[in-house]
């Protein structure tokens, strides 16, 4: 790793912050991506994704950027947009708490302003991303609807679109034009489930169709089904660099000089 990692705390959150190799000498403010689940998608303890991104920085296919991993206080409740029953008996929680609006308010009104004050960031929505997988992908997609003026690049990897009422929520709203949205799903996800997760494939397809109808430009949405992939950490880690390739491709971003 040629960049650097910092662990900071703000607004009651632990933040894993990655600064790219040329951060100290950057000639322009840098794009920022906020990553759910403590930044596990780029955490070097868990995977080699920083190495793969730094190769892209060096090749010039990706602009150098800052990544901020946000540790949830209780992801079951913070990553869900409204209260719902739990999926099956025996879970350690009674229900999904539906506190995503409060969580995103903290992120946009406390965490992001602090990051923008303390690091050399480009705060514009076109240079600000929010990404996650599973429930982290769900809350990231929710952010596209409630804070489109803050987050212009959305990464929803294997998003939990089986969540009751979410696809209906999407169907009833127009997405702000110009957002750049990445979605994917493994072809094996939900196949063996007996609860609502069995709907993962069909509801993800429906959500992608809704987004496709909403977007004015076809190149603003990327949706792919990964053949043979299931809902597993190793699969998420493998897919992360490609998601970043598309979301922050150099030819799609206008950097300030």
């Amino acid at each position: 790793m040629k960049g650097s990692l910092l662990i900071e705390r703000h607004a009651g959150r632990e933040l894993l912050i990655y600064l790219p190799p040329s951060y100290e000498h950057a000639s322009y403010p840098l794009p920022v991506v906020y990553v759910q689940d403590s930044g596990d998608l780029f955490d070097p303890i868990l995977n080699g994704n920083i190495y793969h991104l730094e190769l892209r920085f060096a090749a010039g296919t990706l602009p150098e950027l800052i990544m901020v991993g946000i540790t949830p206080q209780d992801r079951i409740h913070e990553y869900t947009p409204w209260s719902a029953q739990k999926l099956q008996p025996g879970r350690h929680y009674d229900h999904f708490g539906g506190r995503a609006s409060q969580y995103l308010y903290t992120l946009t009104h406390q965490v992001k302003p602090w990051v923008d004050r303390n690091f050399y960031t480009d705060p514009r929505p076109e240079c600000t991303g929010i990404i996650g997988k599973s429930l982290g992908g769900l809350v990231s997609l929710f952010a596209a609807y409630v804070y489109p003026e803050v987050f212009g690049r959305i990464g929803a990897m294997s998003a939990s679109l089986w969540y009751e009422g979410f696809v209906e929520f999407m169907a009833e709203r127009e997405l702000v034009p110009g957002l750049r949205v990445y979605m994917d799903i493994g072809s094996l996800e939900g196949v063996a489930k007996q609860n609502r997760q069995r709907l993962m494939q069909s509801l993800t397809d429906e959500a992608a169709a809704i987004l496709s109808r909403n977007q004015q430009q076809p190149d603003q949405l990327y949706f792919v089904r990964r053949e043979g992939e299931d809902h597993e950490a190793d699969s998420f880690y493998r897919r992360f660099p490609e998601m970043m390739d598309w979301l922050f491709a150099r030819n799609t971003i206008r950097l300030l000089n």
Side-chain angles (χ1 to χ4, degrees), residues 64-132:
E64 291 198 358
L65 48 80
I66 296 168
M67 294 186 286
V68 181
I70 311 151
T71 300
Q73 294 174 347
D74 193 333
R75 73 189 301 273
I76 290 298
H77 301 312
E78 291 190 318
Y79 288 178
T80 48
W82 43 77
S83 182
Q85 294 182 340
K86 62 182 178 180
L87 289 171
Q88 61 194 46
R91 294 281 182 156
H92 67 278
Y93 53 92
D94 295 328
H95 66 289
F96 294 103
R99 299 205 303 262
S101 292
Q102 296 94 313
Y103 166 69
L104 291 174
Y105 183 90
T106 299
L107 176 55
T108 57
H109 290 85
Q110 298 183 45
V111 175
K112 184 180 184 296
W114 180 85
V115 170
D116 290 337
R117 284 195 306 270
N118 288 276
F119 298 93
Y120 191 37
T121 67
D122 188 329
R124 295 174 299 155
E126 67 186 88
C127 289
T128 305
I130 184 169
I131 65 176

Side-chain angles (χ1 to χ4, degrees), residues 26-27 33 61 64 76 80 91 114 126 129 140 146 159 171 175-176 182 184 196-197 211 213 246-247 251 256:
S27 59
V33 60
T61 57
E64 291 198 358
I76 290 298
T80 48
R91 294 281 182 156
W114 180 85
E126 67 186 88
S140 298
V146 295
L175 199 64
V176 170
Y182 171 101
D184 71 9
R196 275 190 62 84
Q197 290 171 316
L211 290 175
R213 291 195 297 269
W246 187 84
L247 271 181
N251 63 350
L256 299 174

Side-chain angles (χ1 to χ4, degrees), residues 2 8 32 40 52 72 77 90 97 100 142 158-159 189 198 215 217 242 253:
K2 296 182 178 179
E8 301 282 354
V32 184
D40 60 347
H52 294 297
H77 301 312
F142 187 49
S158 294
E189 293 188 56
R198 72 187 185 282
Q215 296 292 57
Q217 301 296 327
E242 184 174 334
I253 194 164

Side-chain angles (χ1 to χ4, degrees), residues 194-242:
Q194 301 301 314
N195 53 38
R196 275 190 62 84
Q197 290 171 316
R198 72 187 185 282
L199 304 174
M200 181 79 166
Q201 299 289 328
S202 60
L203 287 175
T204 300
D205 285 341
E206 189 175 343
I210 291 168
L211 290 175
S212 181
R213 291 195 297 269
N214 280 178
Q215 296 292 57
Q216 294 182 344
Q217 301 296 327
D219 62 351
Q220 294 298 107
L221 171 68
Y222 183 84
F223 172 54
V224 60
R225 179 172 276 102
R226 305 291 183 181
E227 289 302 321
E229 297 279 10
D230 209 337
H231 203 80
E232 298 173 344
D234 286 346
S235 177
F236 302 145
Y237 298 157
R238 282 194 300 272
R239 285 142 59 184
F240 176 70
E242 184 174 334

